[in-house]
Amino acid sequence: LSLTADCITKQPKSYGAWHHRLWVMKGGGEGVDLEFELALCKQFLEADERNFHCWAYRMQVAERAGVSAADELAFTDEKIQQNFSNYSAFHYRSKVLERIDREAAGEAGEAPNAASASAFAGERMARLRGELEMVVNAAFTEPDDQSAWWYHRFLLAWGQP
């Protein structure tokens, strides 16, 4: 990992360096300090919030570290509030919403009862309303930027039953 740290410090958008770091992280088992990896991602995203290599790596690290989807939504909130034009943060956020759906489906089991299905639908609609409010604010702030419009389109598709 120290080799790839040197590489991504010099070339933060190197496909090969991030891919190798991910390969080492996945194969490293218990020897990899996932909290350090998350802090490293935060540091790189502070330097360049649109570094999609780092966002993709963070997704893998966060899942492996057991970071909750709620915490990852909060992280994307912070990054989107810093820059409404951050397509990478919006894209990552879409993946977190899909993760929430998968986790909710897993908790409900193979055949959810009517009450749990109704509760899930209610939670999802409340989340959709909040997401739409955020993206409308983003589009109003930066109307010519495609990031918010892409996320809006994603939300309309995601919100379909």
Side-chain angles (χ1 to χ4, degrees), residues 139-158:
F140 180 75
T141 303
E142 296 283 343
D144 293 329
D145 184 73
Q146 68 180 354
S147 302
W149 295 109
W150 175 88
Y151 190 63
H152 182 263
R153 187 174 181 178
F154 162 80
L155 288 173
L156 295 178
W158 179 74

Side-chain angles (χ1 to χ4, degrees), residues 36-84:
F36 174 81
E37 295 301 305
L38 288 168
L40 183 73
C41 288
K42 186 174 183 178
Q43 177 185 350
F44 273 94
L45 291 172
E46 286 171 2
D48 179 4
E49 72 268 1
R50 297 180 189 196
N51 185 337
F52 69 89
H53 306 288
C54 188
W55 280 105
Y57 182 72
R58 181 183 174 88
M59 186 180 305
Q60 299 288 323
V61 173
E63 210 163 302
R64 188 168 284 248
V67 177
S68 73
D71 287 346
E72 287 301 278
L73 280 178
F75 183 77
T76 61
D77 277 340
E78 177 185 320
K79 293 300 174 191
I80 290 168
Q81 292 304 317
Q82 288 173 356
N83 180 357
F84 280 130

Side-chain angles (χ1 to χ4, degrees), residues 42 53 90 108 127-129 134 138:
K42 186 174 183 178
H53 306 288
F90 278 116
R127 183 172 313 281
L128 179 61
R129 283 187 199 98
M134 179 199 55

Side-chain angles (χ1 to χ4, degrees), residues 32 39 42 71 73 87 108 124 160:
V32 176
K42 186 174 183 178
D71 287 346
L73 280 178
Y87 176 84
R124 196 164 193 261
Q160 295 298 310

